[in-house]
Structure formats: C-alpha cells, structure tokens
Amino acid sequence: MVAAPHYLATNVGTNILSDGGNAFDAAVGVALTIGVAQPYHSGLGGGCNITYLQASGEHGHINARGPAPAGLSRDMFFDDGTPNYTRLQTGGLASTIPSFVAGLWALHKRRGNLPWADICARPAAIAAEGFTADFMMAKVYSQASTAAKVAKYAQTTEFAAPIAEGQYVVQPQLAETLTAIGKDARSIYTGDVAKALVDTINSHGGVLSLQDLADYQPQHTDLHETHYRGWRVLAPGLPTIGSLQTQLALKILQHFPLDTLTCGSAQHMHLLAEVVKATYHMRASIDDEQAAAAIADDAQAERLAAGISLDKVQALRLGHDGDGSCTSHFCVADVDGNVVSQTQTVRSYFGSGVVCPTTGIVLNDSAGDFSLQAGQITTQGISYQGDYNLLAAGSEPASSQSPLIALHPDTGDVIAAGAAGGPRIVSATLQALTNQIDFEHSPQQAVAARRVHSHGAGINVEASAHMAQALSSLGHTIKATPSMGITQSIRRDGETWQGGADPRGPGGAAVVLQTGDTMTVRRYGTSYGDA
C-alpha cells in the first residue's frame, strides 16, 4: 500500500513493491521521487523524520531532522540587537545540515530487500527524462516572495524562471546526483557532491563545512506510546515536538465523547479547535528540554481538558498562525506487515532559495524553525518562554512534524498518518486519525474531510458561509481558508488495506494486489496526471 503527495511517487512505490521490494525499499523510492517531483517541498538538501514498524513488531524512529552547522551562532542573525528573521529563512546561513539521504540510508541498509542503487535509479530516471508540472508547482511560483527568493539565489538553475502548469520539467543535474548517491549513499557527505554543496552554501554567506557533513549521522530513537480509544499510538519524541503535541491532543479528546458528535459539524469543529489551541498554549509555555519531553503528560491533558467547554471558547491568546511551511508526508506498507510513516521537508517553498547549480539540490532553510530570543514569537507563531529551541550550533530546531503509526492490540488493525503544512501538521494529523477511529471513515474520507486549526486568537477553518456563521455564534473569530495542509493515510482493516491521498494536492494512493503471478494496482480516491 502506498499513499503519497505526488502521483509519480505513488507509481514508483507500487512498482518497487511489484518488483519484490518491501516497505523500506518503497519508502526510499517514494521519498526520493517526491524530491524530484516536488523539489519546493522536500528533497536531498533537507531532512526527514521516519517512523517505522517492522513485521516482527519492532518499531522505532530515525531522526534525520538536521542540526545547525558547527560554525552557526545566534549573533549572526542580529543587526544592532534586532533579530533578522529574513536572514534566518533565506540565503546560506538559513540551512541546517542536509540529513535526508543519511536518514533514508539508515532505514534501508538493515531492512531493505532491493539494491540501493536500483531504488535510486528510478527517481533518477524521472529527473533525467522529465515530467509535466502540476497545478501545485505552478501555484508555488505564483507567490511573489517565492519567485523573488529563487530568482535571487538560484539564478543558474532550471528553477530560476517561473514554471507554468503543463510545462515540462527536466533536472539533469539532480539525475546525476541521484545516480552518484545510488553508487555511494555517503557521497553527499564526503565526496564531490559534498564539496559542491559547501561551496554553494558558503558563496551565499553560509558557514557549512565539509567536516559538518562528514560527521553527520542520523539518530535512532524509541517511539513514544499513548493510548486512544483502545489504540496504541506510536510517535517520535524530540525534536519532533509536533508528534508529542498530537499525542497530547488525543489524550485531551479522550475526555470527550467525540463519537456522539456529527463529524464535520460546528460543534465537532469547535471542539477540535479548542483542543488544538490548548496544545499550542501548552507548547508555548515550554521553557526547557525537560518540559518539552513531558508535554504529553496525562495530568496536563486532564487539566487542559477541564478547561474546554463544548459551547464556549477558551480565552487563550497566542502569537499568530505561523507560516505555511512546506513539507511532504507519505505512508507505505507491505504484505508482511512492515509500515513506514515519513515526513520530510526543506521547510519553506524552495527552502533557503539556494540551489546548487552542479547537483540540482535545493538547500533547506530549517534554521528558520529556531527561536532567536526567549519569549519572542517564532516564524511558526509560537513564543517559547525559556531557552528551549534557541538556535545553537549542533542543535536541531523544534519540528511540528507528526508521522504516526497506530495499532489496535485486539484486532491487529494498523493506521499510519501524517501531514504537511507547518503548524497545521498537528491539527491535520489529529483529524486524519480521529476521523478513522471515532467516525469509522475510510482513509480517503478521513484525509478529504473539512479541517480546522487554531493556535492564535481565532481559528482557521475550511468553511462554508453556513459553517463560519455557526462557529461565529459559538464565539470564534473565523479565518476562512480554502485549504489547510496535505495529509496521507493508510489503514489495514482486518485483511484489507486501504489508502487515502489528500485531494488538496496532486497525490495518489494505491494498493498492489497479487493473485498467483498476476499483479494488479488498485487506486483510491483521486490522482493527478497519468497515474
């Protein structure tokens, strides 16, 4: 089963599974292909968080978020005592250490079936042969700030000019880089690719060193477990604080009879908004690493639940709704029961704007997720009260990513879910999961349903005029928005696998069915292009 945010990635994943690959092989192929088809969201110059479940029952997290380079310091982002957030998000200083490939290699080297080079060759072929730009790529370029950033920092690449829907996109440099990585996964950290990255970033004022790249290794960590309506919900820990925040939201919702509400009703949207707002209020109160690690504490959840009413708005005022932040999420599973739920990013559209001209790699701007001063509102719209998340060399910024896997101990059912959308990842993932557990939605129904979000004074809602009026009558300040986040989910229900790809993007979900020697691909929901 594959559910990915771009149909080309779904195709690569199902082809790998059809060719005898397992979920870990498919995850690598899907992840790399997303970086080719959606280079503005994620890719070789970014990072990822991987939650995995093996058929044996073993599970874990690979943290490849990416730390700040050894030569990076907070004082580089101040002008006469005033923080410069533009510098934190564009140009050479904005990039943390590219960690994406190391994370994929860590997943594959102990668990994959197919040769690494064979997997890398598939997205390399797409980059070399080209593909048709979809509506989302064209939409990215329609934003003046993105176009200006790319024009300033990526002047010698294929991304320098605006791209229209239907235009053919070819990335020969990226194809060569993927081929090189297929031969040696560490070439991006020790070889010619590494040198090209360092030279490019530092030509734009960065401080990345060859030593930073050579020393980098992803972290293998345990998953945090919580329970919701009889399900075991597994999620990464820090620095993916969004996962712990989603678990906190589930613990709060546990105190409310969600299944007695009508899914998508004003009362349902109200409750979700209040719960998400409460978790962001809790996140904003964090002042150190110890408090961050304990964010999903049962006592805190009970206290926050006690402050929520089904017919009244909480008077919690936070910073603002944060930026959109660009990310990708996908889910894969195989016939043996291996499952991967993975979120990856270069953070903003086209990351820092810096694109290496000889490798085609888009460099991230993940330094933009750090805080520069205690108590100051970050680009994510959160004001941490103490030293937590302050930029420091070698540290990793807090992340809203929330790649989850939920297991039902009695039935053996499995749900994998996650989302893209910066601060809205938490609310989108929460709804994808609860829509399936509380309202018995299929994955496709769950990811397509109307969403709500809040971590400011008002709420964002994908609303009709009627819904906006109903929520306003409950006391909410409404910020109507046409779309929030991109979510993917897959589910095993008994012996049946289903998937859902968010119709807000050009994704697709498909299952590979085998009968004897015959392979059939069944698709779920909508997919864009010639899937």
Side-chain angles (χ1 to χ4, degrees):
M1 186 79 229
V2 182
H6 198 279
Y7 69 93
L8 288 174
T10 303
N11 291 349
V12 167
T14 54
N15 288 340
I16 287 173
L17 292 171
S18 298
D19 290 344
N22 62 17
F24 309 114
D25 299 314
V28 173
V30 169
L32 292 174
T33 305
I34 293 170
V36 173
Q38 297 184 308
Y40 46 85
H41 274 169
S42 62
L44 303 184
C48 61
N49 278 287
I50 308 171
T51 302
Y52 65 86
L53 170 69
Q54 296 185 201
S56 63
E58 180 185 345
H59 51 71
H61 166 227
I62 296 174
N63 169 30
R65 170 72 164 143
L72 198 67
S73 62
R74 262 187 296 156
D75 58 15
M76 295 175 176
F77 300 94
F78 285 83
D79 297 327
D80 297 325
T82 302
N84 187 323
Y85 281 97
T86 299
R87 193 179 303 144
L88 194 67
Q89 299 177 84
T90 61
L93 284 175
S95 291
T96 58
I97 296 171
S99 50
F100 179 66
V101 175
L104 297 182
W105 175 242
L107 178 70
H108 180 268
K109 66 181 179 181
R110 287 181 46 228
R111 303 171 186 86
N113 282 343
L114 298 182
W116 170 264
D118 174 52
I119 297 171
C120 293
R122 300 170 192 243
I126 295 173
E129 296 166 7
F131 59 94
T132 302
D134 57 72
F135 69 91
M136 183 170 284
M137 182 174 277
K139 179 181 177 182
V140 167
Y141 267 108
S142 71
Q143 298 192 1
S145 59
T146 300
K149 178 173 65 173
V150 173
K152 181 176 181 179
Y153 294 108
Q155 296 160 340
T156 60
T157 74
E158 58 267 32
F159 302 124
I163 295 175
E165 184 174 2
Q167 183 175 332
Y168 211 62
V169 179
V170 182
Q171 301 170 75
Q173 296 90 353
L174 184 59
E176 292 181 6
T177 302
L178 286 165
T179 301
I181 289 171
K183 295 176 181 176
D184 177 9
R186 291 295 297 178
S187 64
I188 194 171
Y189 300 101
T190 59
D192 292 340
V193 176
K195 187 177 186 306
L197 290 181
V198 169
D199 290 346
T200 299
I201 291 176
N202 295 347
S203 71
H204 291 288
V207 293
L208 184 70
S209 71
L210 288 172
Q211 196 65 50
D212 287 325
L213 292 173
D215 289 346
Y216 177 72
Q217 294 291 340
Q219 299 170 306
H220 294 257
T221 66
D222 294 332
L223 293 173
H224 288 243
E225 180 174 333
T226 192
H227 293 83
Y228 181 72
R229 318 285 195 206
W231 289 75
R232 299 170 57 211
V233 182
L234 306 173
L238 299 179
T240 51
I241 194 169
S243 293
L244 299 179
Q245 192 181 346
T246 304
Q247 288 185 320
L248 175 61
L250 290 170
K251 288 185 176 184
I252 297 172
L253 281 175
Q254 188 88 2
H255 293 271
F256 296 90
L258 199 62
D259 59 352
T260 65
L261 305 178
T262 300
C263 184
S265 65
Q267 196 173 36
H268 177 216
M269 295 287 102
H270 161 74
L271 176 59
L272 289 173
E274 293 298 280
V275 168
V276 171
K277 185 197 303 181
T279 68
Y280 269 104
H281 191 264
M282 187 71 241
R283 179 170 165 178
S285 71
I286 290 169
D287 57 5
D288 58 30
E289 197 84 1
Q290 184 175 359
I295 188 173
D297 177 79
D298 288 332
Q300 288 178 346
E302 187 171 352
R303 175 177 60 81
L304 292 172
I308 294 175
S309 168
L310 288 176
D311 57 7
K312 188 171 69 174
V313 172
Q314 292 186 92
L316 300 178
R317 287 192 169 271
L318 307 175
H320 58 75
D321 292 331
D323 64 27
S325 291
C326 309
T327 303
S328 307
H329 182 85
F330 68 88
C331 307
V332 296
D334 63 31
V335 69
D336 295 323
N338 300 302
V339 181
V340 176
S341 182
Q342 178 168 326
T343 313
Q344 55 191 58
T345 191
V346 292
R347 192 182 175 273
S348 299
Y349 286 138
F350 283 105
S352 62
V354 177
V355 182
C356 180
T358 59
T359 66
I361 295 177
V362 177
L363 279 308
N364 72 81
D365 69 327
S366 292
D369 284 336
F370 281 114
S371 303
L372 291 178
Q373 289 179 331
Q376 194 168 63
I377 298 174
T378 71
T379 60
Q380 296 282 294
I382 303 166
S383 176
Y384 298 106
Q385 299 307 302
D387 292 340
Y388 178 70
N389 200 44
L390 288 178
L391 189 153
S395 64
E396 294 177 307
S399 169
S400 293
Q401 294 178 21
S402 190
L404 303 181
I405 298 176
L407 312 171
H408 198 290
D410 297 330
T411 64
D413 293 352
V414 179
I415 299 174
R424 295 160 185 81
I425 289 175
V426 172
S427 51
T429 304
L430 175 69
Q431 290 166 85
L433 192 62
T434 58
N435 285 350
Q436 293 180 68
I437 292 175
D438 290 295
F439 300 110
E440 298 183 350
H441 280 187
S442 71
Q444 188 61 51
Q445 291 172 319
V447 302
R450 173 189 287 132
R451 289 203 276 267
V452 66
H453 173 81
S454 178
H455 74 284
I459 66 172
N460 297 100
V461 63
E462 297 174 338
S464 63
H466 173 75
M467 176 62 66
Q469 183 178 9
L471 288 169
S472 295
S473 69
L474 290 172
H476 290 287
T477 300
I478 304 299
K479 301 176 184 178
T481 180
S483 177
M484 285 190 290
I486 304 289
T487 309
Q488 324 300 330
S489 183
I490 61 176
R491 179 172 184 171
R492 184 176 68 201
D493 187 358
E495 296 300 315
T496 302
W497 278 101
Q498 295 185 51
D502 202 315
R504 298 165 183 82
V511 62
V512 181
L513 303 173
Q514 181 173 6
T515 305
D517 295 330
T518 303
M519 293 282 187
T520 304
V521 177
R522 178 184 298 163
R523 303 188 184 281
Y524 289 83
T526 59
S527 61
Y528 184 88
D530 297 323

